[in-house]
Amino acid sequence: MLIMLLISPNFSDLFKPNIEIKAFPDGDLYVRIPEIKQCAGEDVILLHRLYPDQNTSILTLFMLLDTLRRVGARVTLVSPYLPYSRQDKTFLEGEALSAQVLCSMIASFGVRELITLDCHFLKKEGEIEYAGLKIRNISANHALIEHGRSKIGIEEPFEVISPDQGAGYLVSDFGGKTMEKVRGEYEKGDTAYRKIEKLERNFEIAGKNVLIIDDMISTGTTMIKAIENIKSGGAKKVLCAATHGFFMKDSLHRIRTSADIVFTTNSIVNPVSEVDISKLLSSVIPELKK
Ligand code: R5P
C-alpha cells in the first residue's frame, strides 16, 4: 500500500519539504502540493508545524487539508505542538473554547488522526478522541530525561519533578513528584494571562540534583517559580526541560541565569532545542525513517 509523505516547509530542519507555501503580493497565502496526483485516494501523512505564527500556520493547514480532501486522500496529520491547547476550559463566562474550536475544525476536514507531542489538555499519553478528532498523544518525557542524564553525567543522579499537576504524567513513570500550582485571576491589560498565586512543594529535595519537566515553557513564570522553590529547598543542581519551548520575551535568559541546565525538544526551534523529535516521530511513523 502506498503511503504518501507530505512535508511542509516549516519542517525543513528535519525532513525534505515537498509542499510549496508562498504569499500573494497582498499577503494572502498561496499553497500548493505539487505531488497531489500521487495523493489521490491514498493514505497521506502530512507533517506541518502549527507554531510559530500559529494563526497563519493553522490557515495554511486548512488549505492543505482542503486540497487533499478534494482528491480523496486519507490524511494523518503530524503537528508536534498543538496551539490553543491551554484553552480547553473556560474560566470566565463567555470565553471561547479554543482547543475545541481548533480540533473540531481539523476533524471537519476529515483528518483520520492527529499525532502530536505532550498535548497540554490531554495530560496523558495514548489515543484519545477530543471534539471529534482522534488524537495520538506521544510524550517526549523519556527523551528529555535521557538527555538530562547525558548533560549532567551518569555519576550525578537526579530526581524528576513536574511543576504542576497537569504535567504529573511526565514524571510519574520515573517515580517523580509533582508540585502544586494555583492560578488566580487574569492580569490587567490586553494579554490574557492568569497569574500564578502559588507553587507549592510537599516533598524534600535538599542535597539532590533535580530535573524539572513541563509540557511547555511560555512566559517562563512557572519554570522560574519552580526553580526558586527547588533552590530554596536546598537542591544541588537544577536542570529544566520542556517538550515545547516558546521562551517569550527574555525568559530563556532568566531561566538560564537561575538554573544550571535548560533544554527542550525541537518541536519548536529555539536556542536550546537540543532533543530531536524526528527519532520520536519515526518510532511511530516508520515511513519517516530515512
Ligand atoms: C500549564 O499549566 C503548563 O503546563 C505550563 O506550566 C505553562 O503553560 C507554562 O507557561 P508559563 O511559561 O507562561 O508559566
Side-chain angles (χ1 to χ4, degrees):
M1 193 178 57
L2 177 70
I3 298 186
M4 275 297 293
L5 262 185
L6 290 180
I7 315 285
S8 173
N10 72 12
F11 246 110
S12 62
D13 55 317
L14 299 179
F15 305 102
K16 190 166 176 271
N18 55 358
I19 289 174
E20 285 176 21
I21 299 175
K22 305 181 193 179
F24 288 100
D26 59 2
D28 284 359
L29 288 166
Y30 169 92
V31 168
R32 179 169 177 254
I33 303 170
E35 294 167 271
I36 193 70
K37 272 197 186 141
Q38 289 97 301
C39 300
E42 300 293 345
D43 288 328
V44 169
I45 298 174
L46 168 63
L47 276 80
H48 176 68
R49 279 190 172 106
L50 296 176
Y51 196 93
D53 301 327
Q54 64 270 52
N55 299 326
T56 303
S57 303
I58 289 168
L59 182 57
T60 308
L61 170 68
F62 292 161
M63 292 166 82
L64 288 166
L65 292 177
D66 179 67
T67 309
L68 289 164
R69 183 173 53 178
R70 282 189 282 121
V71 298
R74 295 176 294 274
V75 180
T76 297
L77 170 65
V78 181
S79 298
Y81 170 66
L82 184 68
Y84 294 102
S85 55
R86 276 174 292 180
Q87 191 71 11
D88 65 313
K89 290 189 211 78
T90 56
F91 180 66
L92 296 180
E93 241 174 56
E95 285 179 343
L97 273 175
S98 328
Q100 260 193 40
V101 172
L102 180 57
C103 290
S104 60
M105 286 189 78
I106 295 174
S108 75
F109 284 94
V111 167
R112 296 188 132 196
E113 184 178 37
L114 164 68
I115 298 179
T116 193
L117 303 185
D118 291 317
C119 172
H120 179 74
F121 60 78
L122 293 179
K123 301 184 189 347
K124 61 176 178 185
E125 268 199 287
E127 292 178 14
I128 296 115
E129 181 149 336
Y130 177 83
L133 180 65
K134 193 175 152 207
I135 306 179
R136 192 166 356 153
N137 191 34
I138 300 167
S139 185
N141 56 353
H142 283 80
L144 290 167
I145 290 170
E146 207 177 290
H147 190 69
R149 258 189 210 118
S150 73
K151 294 221 43 138
I152 194 169
I154 197 83
E155 67 289 351
E156 295 265 16
F158 54 75
E159 304 271 312
V160 283
I161 282 172
S162 71
D164 57 36
Q165 309 86 316
Y169 79 97
L170 296 171
V171 301
S172 54
D173 283 357
F174 304 88
K177 306 227 170 64
T178 296
M179 298 170 93
E180 197 182 329
K181 179 162 80 180
V182 179
R183 285 202 188 263
E185 303 291 320
Y186 282 103
E187 285 180 353
K188 289 204 169 60
D190 292 337
T191 305
Y193 186 81
R194 283 175 58 207
K195 288 178 204 161
I196 298 176
E197 292 205 323
K198 54 181 179 175
L199 201 62
E200 284 181 339
R201 173 175 48 81
N202 61 4
F203 49 89
E204 291 305 316
I205 37 77
K208 294 178 175 164
N209 297 313
V210 173
L211 169 62
I212 310 168
I213 303 193
D214 206 350
D215 58 330
M216 62 177 90
I217 299 175
S218 173
T219 65
T221 315
T222 302
M223 199 49 95
I224 287 165
K225 281 188 187 292
I227 297 166
E228 283 167 357
N229 182 311
I230 295 291
K231 279 187 151 179
S232 69
K236 211 166 138 194
K237 279 189 186 158
V238 182
L239 294 78
C240 304
T243 305
H244 314 290
F246 310 81
F247 297 110
M248 306 315 296
K249 298 189 181 158
D250 63 345
S251 55
L252 176 56
H253 173 72
R254 289 191 292 131
I255 293 171
R256 273 176 153 167
T257 310
S258 44
D260 295 284
I261 295 171
V262 52
F263 57 90
T264 69
T265 75
N266 55 3
S267 79
I268 295 168
V269 177
N270 66 59
V272 292
S273 51
E274 298 167 7
V275 176
D276 189 357
I277 58 164
S278 54
K279 254 202 218 156
L280 206 54
L281 294 178
S282 307
S283 69
V284 288
I285 309 165
E287 290 76 14
L288 288 176
K289 287 194 183 119
K290 291 166 204 158

